[in-house]
Amino acid sequence: MAKLKSILLLLMAMVVASMEFYQSAAREHVVGDSFGWIVPPNDDFYIIWSLHNVFKFNDALIFNFANGSHTVAEVTKEAYRNCDAGNPISLHTTSPARFTINSLGNHFYICTIGPHCNSHQKLAIRVTPTANNSSALLPH
Ligand SMILES: *[C@@H]1O[C@H](CO)[C@@H](O)[C@H](O)[C@H]1NC(C)=O
Ligand SMILES: *[C@@H]1O[C@H](CO)[C@@H](O)[C@H](O)[C@H]1NC(C)=O
Ligand SMILES: *[C@@H]1O[C@H](CO)[C@@H](O)[C@H](O)[C@H]1NC(C)=O
Ligand SMILES: [Cu+2]
């Protein structure tokens, strides 16, 4: 009986350890999944996509698009709201565009081509703390 108990405890410890590994491993998020980075078919497309993902520190965003048809700029919240491509934080013009998430809090991305951003080709994500960052404060 004592042996069975210790085997169970060992199994539980292994499950917990693998869960922690899974949670701490950096993940890649393909924006829009198989749709990629496009002028979306409906206005809330990228909002819904972001709600189906959990973004952690050190994860990566992958934007797939046709070269020349779109770009990805990381921008401020204001620029995201106004679709202002004037002064981006960073700009990627070739696909696949890869952004590693290297700070907590909110991150904003827009397409800088024509009226695409106004047609809701824009993405806002919130990066939540990892286990090690559970005491870190999110900037608001
Ligand atoms: C937390 O950080 C420590 C060192 O700072 C590291 O050894 C440990 O693997 C980290 N755990 C997770 C879940 O990231
Ligand atoms: C876009 O251009 C880059 C650099 O020229 C190239 O490596 C990449 O394969 C191209 N991507 C697509 C989707 O055509
Ligand atoms: C926690 O967040 C800080 C930045 O806010 C970062 O420097 C650190 O590496 C993060 N640790 C983990 C395990 O994600
Ligand atoms: Cu575009």
Side-chain angles (χ1 to χ4, degrees), residues 18 41 62 69 81-82 84-85 95 97 99 104 106 115 121-122 130:
S18 65
I62 314 291
S69 298
R81 272 206 194 122
N82 304 326
D84 174 7
S95 171
F99 291 78
L104 298 175
N106 298 320
Q121 191 179 8
K122 62 200 302 202
T130 60

Side-chain angles (χ1 to χ4, degrees), residues 1-122:
M1 195 61 202
K3 197 178 173 193
L4 182 61
K5 205 170 166 186
S6 60
I7 288 172
L8 279 176
L9 281 174
L10 183 65
L11 279 175
M12 278 165 63
M14 283 165 68
V15 167
V16 169
S18 65
M19 278 166 65
E20 264 172 26
F21 176 77
Y22 185 64
Q23 283 180 350
S24 63
R27 266 174 261 183
E28 293 193 336
H29 304 272
V30 176
V31 176
D33 299 313
S34 59
F35 285 84
W37 183 236
I38 54 170
V39 176
N42 47 289
D43 291 358
D44 53 6
F45 181 81
Y46 288 111
I47 295 170
I48 290 170
W49 179 84
S50 71
L51 293 175
H52 289 161
N53 281 260
V54 176
F55 305 98
K56 299 288 186 186
F57 185 84
N58 261 340
D59 284 1
L61 294 176
I62 314 291
F63 294 81
N64 291 318
F65 55 91
N67 283 342
S69 298
H70 305 285
T71 66
V72 194
E74 182 169 2
V75 297
T76 63
K77 185 178 188 173
E78 281 313 297
Y80 168 86
R81 272 206 194 122
N82 304 326
C83 285
D84 174 7
N87 192 18
I89 298 165
S90 65
L91 175 67
H92 290 232
T93 56
T94 57
S95 171
R98 184 191 171 90
F99 291 78
T100 302
I101 300 168
N102 51 20
S103 64
L104 298 175
N106 298 320
H107 295 257
F108 304 91
Y109 306 87
I110 65 173
C111 177
T112 65
I113 303 283
H116 292 186
C117 176
N118 285 308
S119 301
H120 301 273
Q121 191 179 8
K122 62 200 302 202

